[in-house]
Structures are given as C-alpha cells and as structure tokens.
Amino acid sequence: MKDRFKETVGMIDPSLLLRPENVYEDKPVANFRDYSVDDADPIRDRVRRTYYTMHTHMTVDFVKSKMDKWLKFNHFKATMKEALHRMNELVDESDPDLDLPNIVHAFQTAERIRRDHPDDDWFHLIGLIHDVGKVMAFYDEPQWCVVGDTFAVGCKWGKSIVYGDHSFKDNPDSYNSKYNTEYGMYEPNCGIENLMISWGHDEYLYRVLVHNRAKFPVEGLWMIRYHSFYPWHAGGDYAHLTQKEDEKIKEAVIKFNQYDLYTKSTVIPDIEALWPYYEGLIDKYIPGTLEW
C-alpha cells in the first residue's frame, strides 16, 4: 500500500476508587463514559452508530482477517513521532467525552502521568502513544474497527459491553453454537492473554511495539494492549476465563486508565513546547523508523 507519510448508561470505571471526588476538572465524574441514548445530541448519536456497526461485524472470522492484514507490518514505515503527528487529523468517533484531535488527548494523558509519576519516564511515553494504533484509520479502515471499547470474541458477549443488550442482534456469531456459549471456543481459566479480543488500536499497537522491539517493561505493554478492554477491567466480565496471574495485568491497566479517562476535560497542553522531552523518550524506548 502506498506510504501516506511522506439505550445504555456508561459504566463507572474502577479507577473511581482512586478518584473518589464527585467532580473532576469541573466535570461530574458520573458524566464520563456516558453512553445514554440522545438522538438530539450529534456526538452521542455518532458514538451509538459506531458501536452498533462494530458489534454487527466483529466476528471471530473478521478479527482473524484483520490480524492477517495488519500483522504483516508491511503497510508503511514511520517513526513514532511521525505516527503521533497523524493524530492531529483524527477525532475518535466512539468517544463521548472528547471531540478534539487525538493528539491533544495523548499529551493530556502523558502530562498527567508525568506529574504523578515523575520518575517513571516509560509510563509518560505509554501515556503519549497509547492510542497511536488508530493510524489504521488512515489506511482504509473504518473507525468502528479501529476505535472504541474492546471485548472478547468467540464466546458469549460480555454483559457490560456498551449497548450490548441490543447491538449484537445482527452479528452472526450470536447464533453460532461454537461461539455463543459461556466458554465458546475457550477453556476455563485459559487466561486473558489467550483470548481473541475484538480488533482495534490496542491490539495493533501492542503488536507493533513487540514487532519493533520496544524497550518498555511488560506493565507498559499490558497497559497498551488492554486499556480499552472495559468489559473486563471495569465491568467484571470474563472472570470464568481468567487466571490468578491476570490480576497483575488488571492492576497495571487500572493504574493507567485513570489517566486515560479523567484527563479528557483538562486544558490543552502546549504541545510544541513538550515535544523535545518526549522525543528523548521515543529515542530511549522505541527509536528509529518502525514497521507498521
């Protein structure tokens, strides 16, 4: 492919336990991740349409097809900074909390982590790059298979998936006896890392980082891979498929997600002034031109 660089109410995230106040950055905590239906609100209508389309088409076979397409890492080559710059052009169609380019959210997240964890520079960079897998949207992928919450495929749909009470009615896996039972194609307590997750920017970026030999600690890779897996880390679904060791993964993801979620109402940072610091981190942890 040509190189282009040259009716559901939102769940309350477990990270609320870490932020017990009722108002965060002048926005009521209960108003984050509000997926209630309001046809008169264009953002909420956009979010609902994105999820309904996702839940209709996200089957086991579809996920396999996207893995086959994207995990050859032959779509383009770019540095991490070049990929981040593309986020200037992307507004996430699944996000009810933000209607700004994704690069703004990236720096908001990174800077809040930097403030609270000044000595963990790898964590700062994880905050900055966590959504960069959304570059797939610039390579002929519709946003419904790039953005949004993820969930396990190949088993009964998680109870806490947003809009899930009605949005899977046209998904063929809902009626496939291989996939529509409690365990589906999995063994009991097989472990989170052995589940096939709906295709999106989390899994893609995780695979890109592994493929390009990123130097992050494993906690950082877990944060990338599962930060959108809300039905598990926020909704409590899939407990019958998890292992005891998965609690370490969940702890890392929840540690990250308080920054991913609650920074979306803060002021816009001075991105140009911050670039030199983060360029240094990119050179340290994921340097050079990468295969995407």
Side-chain angles (χ1 to χ4, degrees):
M1 182 174 289
K2 183 180 178 181
D3 188 340
R4 299 181 184 182
F5 279 116
K6 289 199 166 167
E7 272 100 269
T8 301
V9 178
M11 297 177 295
I12 298 299
D13 193 293
S15 60
L16 282 175
L17 298 175
L18 304 176
R19 297 196 180 281
E21 61 267 33
N22 293 324
V23 176
Y24 189 74
E25 295 290 346
D26 298 322
K27 181 175 178 178
V29 163
N31 286 0
F32 287 94
R33 290 182 55 81
D34 180 0
Y35 293 99
S36 55
V37 175
D38 184 353
D39 292 332
D41 184 327
I43 293 180
R44 290 188 185 180
D45 184 58
R46 178 194 73 192
V47 170
R48 182 176 55 161
R49 284 187 283 106
T50 298
Y51 274 108
Y52 267 69
T53 306
M54 177 198 300
H55 295 170
T56 295
H57 298 288
M58 197 66 68
T59 63
V60 170
D61 287 342
F62 180 85
V63 175
K64 289 179 178 179
S65 73
K66 292 303 172 186
M67 288 182 171
D68 183 64
K69 175 181 177 180
W70 284 99
L71 301 187
K72 293 182 174 69
F73 308 104
N74 61 356
H75 288 266
F76 61 97
K77 294 183 179 181
T79 66
M80 183 58 73
K81 183 177 180 180
E82 288 171 334
L84 279 160
H85 271 303
R86 290 308 298 270
M87 297 297 99
N88 276 317
E89 305 168 42
L90 181 71
V91 175
D92 187 330
E93 295 176 356
S94 72
D95 195 334
D97 296 318
L98 192 69
D99 200 26
L100 293 169
N102 220 250
I103 190 70
V104 175
H105 169 55
F107 275 94
Q108 289 172 332
T109 304
E111 281 297 284
R112 186 55 58 88
I113 293 171
R114 184 181 176 188
R115 187 195 73 177
D116 290 355
H117 300 272
D119 298 328
D120 297 329
D121 62 355
W122 64 268
F123 195 8
H124 312 166
L125 187 56
I126 288 292
L128 187 71
I129 70 172
H130 73 279
D131 278 342
V132 176
K134 295 176 183 179
V135 295
M136 289 187 291
F138 299 110
Y139 288 81
D140 303 319
E141 291 292 3
Q143 283 210 23
W144 58 261
C145 69
V146 173
V147 302
D149 291 4
T150 58
F151 49 91
V153 298
C155 62
K156 188 176 181 180
W157 309 119
K159 293 180 180 179
S160 63
I161 298 174
V162 294
Y163 305 112
D165 289 344
H166 306 285
S167 57
F168 289 99
K169 59 183 177 61
D170 294 323
N171 185 308
D173 283 3
S174 297
Y175 311 99
N176 188 328
S177 60
K178 293 190 297 183
Y179 304 135
N180 64 6
T181 63
E182 200 73 15
Y183 292 98
M185 65 183 190
Y186 305 109
E187 296 295 326
N189 306 116
C190 60
I192 288 296
E193 293 179 286
N194 290 312
L195 300 184
M196 181 180 289
I197 307 299
S198 57
W199 183 251
H201 67 283
D202 293 33
E203 185 69 19
Y204 176 55
L205 180 58
Y206 164 77
R207 299 292 190 108
V208 166
L209 294 175
V210 172
H211 174 74
N212 287 283
R213 297 180 175 85
K215 301 172 185 177
F216 293 112
V218 67
E219 291 86 353
L221 297 176
W222 290 338
M223 291 170 180
I224 294 291
R225 193 177 196 183
Y226 298 111
H227 72 269
S228 301
F229 195 15
Y230 278 90
W232 172 55
H233 66 71
D237 296 342
Y238 311 114
H240 57 296
L241 299 173
T242 63
Q243 299 174 346
K244 182 178 180 180
E245 293 77 10
D246 293 335
E247 288 303 309
K248 294 181 181 179
I249 301 177
K250 182 181 287 188
E251 288 174 8
V253 174
I254 290 175
K255 179 180 179 181
F256 168 78
N257 268 66
Q258 60 178 304
Y259 300 104
D260 185 20
L261 179 59
Y262 297 115
T263 56
K264 291 180 181 179
S265 62
T266 59
V267 297
I268 297 176
D270 186 346
I271 292 174
E272 288 306 312
L274 292 170
W275 264 123
Y277 174 73
Y278 287 98
E279 285 181 288
L281 297 188
I282 290 171
D283 290 341
K284 180 178 181 180
Y285 290 105
I286 184 70
T289 299
L290 312 178
E291 295 178 336
W292 297 80

